[in-house]
Amino acid sequence: MDLLFSNSFLSVLHSTNSTVFSIAQPIMHSLSTFWVFGSLALQIFAFPNPSRVEQREAELLKRSVDSFIATESPIALTDLLCNIGSAGACVSGASSGIVIASPDKTNPDYFYTWTRDSALTFKCIVDTFISSYSASLQDEIENYINAQAYLQTVSNPSGNLANGGLGLAEPKFNPDETAFTGSWGRPQRDGPALRATALITYSKWLIANGYSSTASSLIWPIIQNDLSYVTEYWNQTGFDLWEEVDGSSFFTLQAQHRALVEGSALAAQLGKSCTYCDSQAPQVLCFLQSFWGSSQGYILANINENNGRTGKDANTLLGSIHNFDPTAGCDVSTFQPCSDRALANHKVVTDSFRSIYTINSGIAEGDAVAVGRYPEDSYQGGNPWYLNTLAAAEQLYDALYTWNKQGSIAVTATSLGFFKDFDSSITAGTYASSSSTYSTLYNAVKAYADGYVDIVATYAQSNGSLSEQFSRSNGAPLSAYDLTWSYAAFLTCAARRAGVVPYSWGEPTASSVPAVCSATSAIGTFSTASTGSWPSSQTPVTGGGSSKTTTTGGGSSKTTTTGSGTATSTSSSCANPTSVAVTFDEIVTTTVGENIKIAGDVSVLGNWDTDDAYALSAADYTSSNHLWFAKISFAPGTVIQYKYINVASNGDVTWEADPNHTYTVPASCATSATVSNTWQT
């Protein structure tokens, strides 16, 4: 084994297959996995068939990423919450609901709260709350909303609420909610839009669960201020999300367009109106098209001012994933993650870092690399960022979700270069899921996405801590430690990989680009929002279940409850059980030779691997009752994401439609429970 892992062997392996070499480093971090890699290497030389090698590489990579996500997920959520006042132990002195960018106070000092970072963090928290209901997360959300209502009223160097809402674009505040008065890049116009989106998402959940009055009285006034700001100032320049370029930013415009679209829809749900949203959203979308140039083949990060840069920037990857709508398909106008423009841009941006970072040296196109902000970056030495590397993965997971949902992959002249990295003979066309080309592309992109997560796993600290950056030369963590945004980026990336997607924001009804763009604006309404008391026990409509998103006609969304089966105690005492036997009843029509299985995000359900999914029984299936069932034991309190699959006699797998089901195993004295589902179409 020592000979197997000698430098000379790795050199040969690198020259034989660069993809294998790219996964060697993370595997070799753990002595316990040496035998796995050794076995893989020996089989590569014993079985030189490229497709077989690629399959084994992908399987090994998947297992590595599965393991990292399982370990890192609770760490990321815990460390994220640790950076939120006042309960967060990592940020002593921060006010309630205030998100601190990082506990680091020296070189760089990030012990402040940024409107942008806070909004993105709480969008992640709200999505997590919706997919797996947690009362503690709901408390954090309410504290955040109270804090934002107050911060909107704080006079600051950008202005205040009374003078046309100018103070809403102030980038950051002190931890005690006082104004930061030092010099800084002002204004930053993405913050109000991102905050509105986070609050709109929670408002949708409240409405769907019967609490419209809370959304109307306590949250809408905050959202209305932010929407009013966007409609009045969207066509004025401001500093980008890296706080360096004063111009028009792709990321900012995308956030603004989304906020106006779903803000108007929320207003209608609450019996209100946002006509100024309706008038400006199409013009924001029209301006967004200016960031794409077919001649350069990528999305410009900024226009009007780029400080001499090429415009290749992870700003655009982040814009795409935070604008993802699971009902939008691969729409081009909003640069959806699987659109040909977004895929072409993904290649150009990620490839721009291949030759400038030592840790990316020798990694071929089509294999994952560490991703920074932009190739000309010099901040803190100009290194890769964890959140940008995760964004590169998340965009691909979004694309995979959509391809799976629509049952095809479209290759155009624009996206051809992206796909040629995985199939050099590919030509433009649409490939159905039943084709071998679809399978080749889908599996290759899935492995490619996992590669980006594996890079983060490789360079994360052994305790799971994620800083802002890691060294371009050796991968050591750099800059601010325990960056809150890094943890949020990991959690959203992991969720998309598991097929857990957010609410639709209404993209299908707002993707028509006007024939003529106009630099317009509209005056909205600004008023002081209340920070009143929150009603208690605002739980999902069906007790004990977790909420999920389902799509209704016209692209709107509603929330229903999964895991709604009743838990029946089979013990007369209330001793805490060590396991709970959960019976899954699935109603689905099948034909002879078909089998129903349940796949999910825990090991007993195969960790989403269809080969290891849990088989259901058809023992009680009749012509009038198409019941498949299985009884599976779990630890009390386990939160499960799952889906049913139909396995044909020839092995072909058909997944039921989205979204994933979510179920929380009872953590009481119950020793059994039943969950009833019907095949989703």
Side-chain angles (χ1 to χ4, degrees):
M1 189 63 71
D2 290 338
L3 176 62
L4 180 63
F5 286 98
S6 67
N7 288 336
S8 60
F9 174 81
L10 287 177
S11 176
V12 172
L13 185 59
H14 187 201
S15 63
T16 304
N17 192 299
S18 61
T19 303
V20 176
F21 184 80
S22 72
I23 66 173
Q25 188 173 24
I27 294 168
M28 294 174 63
H29 276 293
S30 171
L31 290 173
S32 64
T33 60
F34 269 21
W35 71 271
V36 176
F37 187 78
S39 174
L40 171 67
L42 290 174
Q43 291 176 65
I44 288 172
F45 288 101
F47 306 97
N49 185 312
S51 62
R52 183 165 186 159
V53 171
E54 291 167 0
Q55 290 171 4
R56 293 184 181 278
E57 291 172 8
E59 177 58 28
L60 185 57
L61 178 60
K62 176 182 178 298
R63 292 178 183 177
S64 174
V65 172
D66 285 346
S67 177
F68 173 63
I69 288 178
T71 302
E72 181 68 18
S73 292
I75 295 172
L77 182 58
T78 297
D79 288 356
L80 180 153
L81 294 174
C82 198
N83 288 350
I84 302 175
S86 59
C90 303
V91 289
S92 177
S95 297
S96 177
I98 290 296
V99 181
I100 301 301
S102 162
D104 204 338
K105 297 182 179 180
T106 58
N107 192 33
D109 182 0
Y110 279 14
F111 204 76
Y112 297 94
T113 182
W114 271 261
T115 303
R116 174 196 311 106
D117 296 36
S118 301
L120 292 170
T121 296
F122 265 93
K123 177 61 166 64
C124 169
I125 290 175
V126 171
D127 286 342
T128 303
F129 165 78
I130 290 171
S131 64
S132 54
Y133 173 71
S134 168
S136 61
L137 289 183
Q138 191 171 37
D139 290 340
E140 294 284 3
I141 294 167
E142 292 171 354
N143 291 338
Y144 166 75
I145 295 172
N146 283 341
Q148 298 310 301
Y150 177 75
L151 286 178
Q152 284 189 339
T153 70
V154 176
S155 295
N156 55 68
S158 293
N160 55 53
L161 192 63
N163 66 339
L166 289 171
L168 297 177
E170 179 65 8
K172 68 178 186 178
F173 295 82
N174 294 317
D176 62 357
E177 300 180 297
T178 59
F180 171 76
T181 58
S183 59
W184 210 255
R186 300 181 174 93
Q188 292 180 23
R189 305 190 193 277
D190 55 359
L194 294 170
R195 177 167 55 199
T197 289
L199 300 190
I200 289 168
T201 304
Y202 184 55
S203 296
K204 288 180 180 179
W205 181 89
L206 287 170
I207 293 168
N209 285 275
Y211 309 115
S212 297
S213 60
T214 300
S216 181
S217 62
L218 294 179
I219 309 179
W220 173 253
I222 307 171
I223 296 171
Q224 185 177 44
N225 287 335
D226 285 336
L227 296 178
S228 296
Y229 181 88
V230 172
T231 60
E232 187 166 352
Y233 303 107
W234 70 266
N235 63 356
Q236 297 187 24
T237 60
F239 281 85
D240 70 345
L241 81 168
W242 307 134
E243 306 183 308
E244 295 175 343
V245 175
D246 186 4
S248 295
S249 164
F250 177 77
F251 178 85
T252 299
L253 268 295
Q254 276 209 306
Q256 290 172 330
H257 177 249
R258 172 178 177 166
L260 294 181
V261 171
E262 60 183 345
S264 176
L266 178 68
Q269 284 185 286
L270 295 174
K272 305 176 186 297
S273 66
C274 188
T275 54
Y276 43 94
C277 297
D278 299 332
S279 68
Q280 299 309 298
Q283 294 306 323
V284 179
L285 180 64
C286 201
F287 186 35
L288 264 174
Q289 310 314 304
S290 306
F291 290 83
W292 172 259
S294 56
S295 58
Q296 79 257 11
Y298 60 91
I299 304 167
L300 287 172
N302 301 284
I303 55 178
N304 301 329
E305 180 55 68
N306 245 314
N307 287 4
R309 305 174 192 166
T310 60
K312 302 172 185 177
D313 194 314
N315 160 327
T316 56
L317 305 182
L318 290 162
S320 184
I321 64 173
H322 290 298
N323 213 36
F324 171 52
D325 187 319
T327 69
C330 299
D331 185 62
V332 173
S333 67
T334 58
F335 299 87
Q336 288 299 299
C338 62
S339 66
D340 57 0
R341 291 178 178 179
L343 293 174
N345 179 71
H346 185 285
K347 174 175 172 56
V348 170
V349 171
T350 55
D351 283 355
S352 72
F353 297 102
R354 293 183 185 277
S355 63
I356 66 172
Y357 296 156
T358 302
I359 60 174
N360 289 341
S361 179
I363 300 178
E365 294 181 19
D367 288 343
V369 289
V371 178
R373 300 195 301 176
Y374 49 90
E376 303 89 352
D377 191 13
S378 61
Y379 175 67
Q380 295 286 315
N383 300 287
W385 285 45
Y386 292 103
L387 69 91
N388 290 334
T389 306
L390 289 164
E394 185 171 335
Q395 181 185 336
L396 300 178
Y397 291 135
D398 291 343
L400 290 164
Y401 172 90
T402 305
W403 292 333
N404 181 60
K405 181 178 180 180
Q406 65 188 21
S408 64
I409 296 175
V411 179
T412 71
T414 298
S415 60
L416 189 60
F418 172 86
F419 288 107
K420 276 187 173 293
D421 283 342
F422 313 110
D423 183 348
S424 60
S425 63
I426 193 72
T427 57
T430 299
Y431 300 92
S433 57
S434 58
S435 68
S436 59
T437 302
Y438 175 97
S439 298
T440 297
L441 296 177
Y442 187 94
N443 292 333
V445 173
K446 186 175 182 181
Y448 186 35
D450 278 354
Y452 286 102
V453 179
D454 204 42
I455 286 173
V456 172
T458 302
Y459 298 118
Q461 294 187 48
S462 59
N463 66 354
S465 175
L466 298 177
S467 299
E468 179 182 70
Q469 305 175 36
F470 50 104
S471 169
R472 63 194 292 161
S473 59
N474 60 22
L478 294 173
S479 193
Y481 64 85
D482 286 327
L483 190 77
T484 311
W485 191 357
S486 293
Y487 293 125
F490 169 83
L491 292 170
T492 59
C493 182
R496 301 301 172 267
R497 183 175 187 265
V500 179
V501 300
Y503 286 141
S504 165
W505 54 266
E507 195 275 357
T509 64
S511 56
S512 179
V513 180
V516 178
C517 295
S518 301
T520 58
S521 67
I523 307 299
T525 301
F526 298 99
S527 62
T528 301
S530 169
T531 55
S533 299
W534 291 84
S536 59
S537 302
Q538 295 205 324
T539 55
V541 288
T542 303
S546 299
S547 55
K548 69 175 185 179
T549 305
T550 58
T551 301
T552 59
S556 61
S557 61
K558 65 178 182 179
T559 300
T560 58
T561 300
T562 60
S564 55
T566 57
T568 305
S569 175
T570 58
S571 172
S572 58
S573 66
C574 212
N576 292 329
T578 57
S579 67
V580 178
V582 180
T583 298
F584 292 87
D585 287 343
E586 167 72 353
I587 301 299
V588 53
T589 302
T590 54
T591 59
V592 176
E594 294 178 335
N595 289 283
I596 301 300
K597 296 183 178 182
I598 180 172
D601 64 350
V602 292
S603 59
V604 71
L605 302 182
N607 287 319
W608 296 113
D609 188 333
T610 56
D611 291 338
D612 297 327
Y614 198 100
L616 277 65
S617 170
D620 294 340
Y621 188 101
T622 67
S623 59
S624 59
N625 184 25
H626 301 174
L627 174 66
W628 288 77
F629 69 92
K631 182 177 290 186
I632 311 172
S633 294
F634 300 92
T638 303
V639 179
I640 309 161
Q641 294 277 343
Y642 67 95
K643 257 188 181 178
Y644 296 98
I645 59 174
N646 183 320
V647 183
S649 57
N650 65 357
D652 288 346
V653 174
T654 301
W655 291 80
E656 67 172 336
D658 294 313
N660 295 331
H661 301 283
T662 302
Y663 179 68
T664 302
V665 179
S668 60
C669 56
T671 58
S672 66
T674 299
V675 181
S676 298
N677 298 115
T678 299
W679 183 269
Q680 297 176 157
T681 57

